[in-house]
Amino acid sequence: MTRTVFTGGTVFDGTGSEPAPADVVIEDGVIVDVGAGLDGDLSVDCTGATLLPGLFDCHVHVVGSGLGLLPQVQKPFSYQFYEAARNLWTTLKLGITTVRDAAGADLGIKQAVADGLISGPRLQIAIGLISPTGGHGDGWLPSGHCVPASLPHPGRPDAMADGPDEMRRVARTLLRAGADVLKVCTTGGVLSPRSDPRHSQFTVEELDVLVTEAQMQGRAVMAHAQGTEGIKNAVRAGIRSIEHGIYLDDEAIELMLARGTWLVPTLVAPVNVIRAAEAGASLPDAVVRKAKEVAEVHADSVRRAVAAGVRIAMGTDSGVGPHGTNLEELGLMRSCGMSPADVLVATTSSAARLLGFDGELGRLAPGHRADVVVVAGDPYDFGGLAGNVREVWQDGVRAV
């Protein structure tokens, strides 16, 4: 087997320790050694660069390519899959080698990446967004027509549910379709014009059924949860991660700490909604108004969660905003009180732990899969990080 050694660089190993000079050796897709003076059959000169573990984005929508209703309904059905291939490649070039798709991508997209038909980060997929009638995932419009964000098809079954029995059926249907994680709306949202992000959706009984179904199949649940009570309902039901977490109060934070619940903040999401509106995207006035209302309270909630020690993993909601701008989230996390090292931990080893890849990805350590990102200059220069990515290796193969 060929041994490839990355020499002359500085290593951020994913644990939060300060970057330090070291070589990294990979063989057969696995990291076999990290240390000084190592050798190999092939050498990659990393002088002046820092090596990072492959980065994670725990909340993306790879079939989404921005906001607005008309582009979605005017494109041919299959066009979304070609857009997904482009979006995945754009994300991989940032050094993001693993993503969790939070509704939209089906099993075919995941398998196409795994089989090497298209280049992109490895995928965990939720397939559909479980929502009640009138909820955040309900595409009903005042005209009476229904246009959900992700149009159902055989690989992406309808995910609307009302009551425990329908929740059970939808959970099983999504799991059958290949879902690695189940995503549920426990509150309204910013992008759904007729729902309020502060209001709760689904009863505790419905959420208990969902979590039970997921756990029986060894799966976790992620919750679109923005309003306070909906966040608490999700945490009490045993949902693994809160996505967004806009209106956190002290009790919600205490519950998350007690239950070990993760927060995936997606701070850049409302920022991207506001930007899209300013750029002329066709968005309902209510959506733009809500985005402006939540931006600062969202940041304040994340600051308090960080200060309290809530477990944080990086996610962006890319697809709502442009793919390729994912790393903007790191600077926003830093502005919420996280140290630069903690931001990178949230984007590497902590994210790996959330997604069940602990001990496999997220660190530069022997025995871990060889996802390596070579970054020129200061790895804590989050504003310049995207432009400083020199090479991206995935499972020991140079991808970028």
Side-chain angles (χ1 to χ4, degrees):
M1 297 295 179
T2 301
R3 287 168 55 93
T4 300
V5 57
F6 297 80
T7 64
T10 300
V11 170
F12 178 88
D13 66 4
T15 66
S17 298
E18 286 299 307
D23 300 334
V24 176
V25 178
I26 64 176
E27 184 177 354
D28 195 24
V30 176
I31 298 169
V32 295
D33 204 356
V34 179
L38 304 180
D39 58 12
D41 305 305
L42 298 175
S43 179
V44 178
D45 183 5
C46 298
T47 303
T50 299
L51 305 181
L52 306 177
L55 307 178
F56 283 70
D57 190 332
C58 297
H59 192 125
V60 301
H61 299 278
V62 302
V63 298
S65 298
L67 296 169
L69 176 63
L70 289 178
Q72 175 186 333
V73 298
Q74 291 185 19
K75 293 173 183 174
F77 171 76
S78 60
Y79 192 86
Q80 61 185 301
F81 301 108
Y82 298 96
E83 284 190 307
R86 178 197 63 192
N87 295 338
L88 286 161
W89 172 241
T90 299
T91 304
L92 183 63
K93 289 191 293 183
L94 296 173
I96 296 172
T97 58
T98 306
V99 298
R100 181 175 60 171
D101 188 89
D106 67 355
L107 187 58
I109 294 174
K110 176 183 176 179
Q111 187 168 334
V113 173
D115 290 349
L117 294 180
I118 56 177
S119 296
R122 66 181 61 78
L123 283 154
Q124 283 194 356
I125 56 175
I127 297 182
L129 176 60
I130 304 173
S131 171
T133 299
H136 179 59
D138 187 345
W140 188 89
L141 299 171
S143 64
H145 293 283
C146 188
V147 185
S150 298
L151 299 174
H153 64 78
R156 188 195 295 142
D158 180 70
M160 297 287 291
D162 293 303
D165 288 342
E166 287 191 13
M167 180 68 84
R168 182 175 292 107
R169 177 190 56 78
V170 165
R172 292 176 178 177
T173 301
L174 291 171
L175 290 166
R176 179 182 66 184
D180 301 300
V181 60
L182 295 177
K183 183 184 178 185
V184 64
C185 296
T186 65
T187 71
V190 170
L191 291 180
S192 41
R194 302 185 66 81
S195 76
D196 189 319
R198 297 166 296 182
H199 294 169
S200 299
Q201 296 175 4
F202 288 123
T203 64
V204 173
E205 182 185 9
E206 290 168 316
L207 297 177
D208 285 342
V209 168
L210 176 63
V211 172
T212 297
E213 290 295 327
Q215 290 178 343
M216 286 195 300
Q217 304 306 320
R219 303 290 193 267
V221 180
M222 59 190 294
H224 163 100
Q226 299 182 349
T228 308
E229 293 307 314
I231 292 170
K232 294 174 188 177
N233 288 341
V235 175
R236 290 179 177 127
I239 287 173
R240 183 164 174 80
S241 65
I242 299 298
E243 313 295 310
H244 316 303
I246 292 174
Y247 293 99
L248 291 168
D249 67 5
D250 291 344
E251 184 185 19
I253 290 171
E254 289 170 5
L255 280 170
M256 293 179 73
L257 289 169
R259 304 292 181 93
T261 311
W262 292 82
L263 175 63
V264 180
T266 69
L267 289 157
V268 75
V271 175
N272 277 325
V273 175
I274 295 168
R275 286 177 181 166
E278 292 172 345
S282 178
L283 295 173
D285 291 341
V287 168
V288 180
R289 172 182 53 78
K290 286 188 286 184
K292 292 178 178 178
E293 288 174 352
V294 305
E296 183 51 42
V297 69
H298 189 187
D300 182 64
S301 286
V302 176
R303 287 187 196 103
R304 291 187 292 108
V306 167
V310 171
R311 299 195 291 186
I312 308 289
M314 193 279 253
T316 62
D317 220 356
S318 290
V320 170
H323 296 277
T325 62
N326 310 57
L327 298 185
E328 284 190 48
E329 182 75 14
L330 277 61
L332 294 174
M333 294 165 73
R334 178 74 182 94
S335 71
C336 287
M338 299 180 71
S339 72
D342 285 344
V343 170
L344 286 184
V345 168
T347 314
T348 55
S349 60
S350 285
R353 187 177 177 191
L354 167 61
L355 270 55
F357 289 117
D358 192 27
E360 182 180 356
L361 291 167
R363 289 187 56 196
L364 296 180
H368 285 61
R369 293 166 71 171
D371 282 15
V372 182
V373 184
V374 183
V375 177
D378 182 2
Y380 295 156
D381 174 18
F382 298 139
L385 185 59
N388 288 337
V389 173
R390 283 186 2 193
E391 297 182 18
V392 181
W393 293 66
Q394 191 178 36
D395 284 325
V397 176
R398 185 173 178 180
V400 177

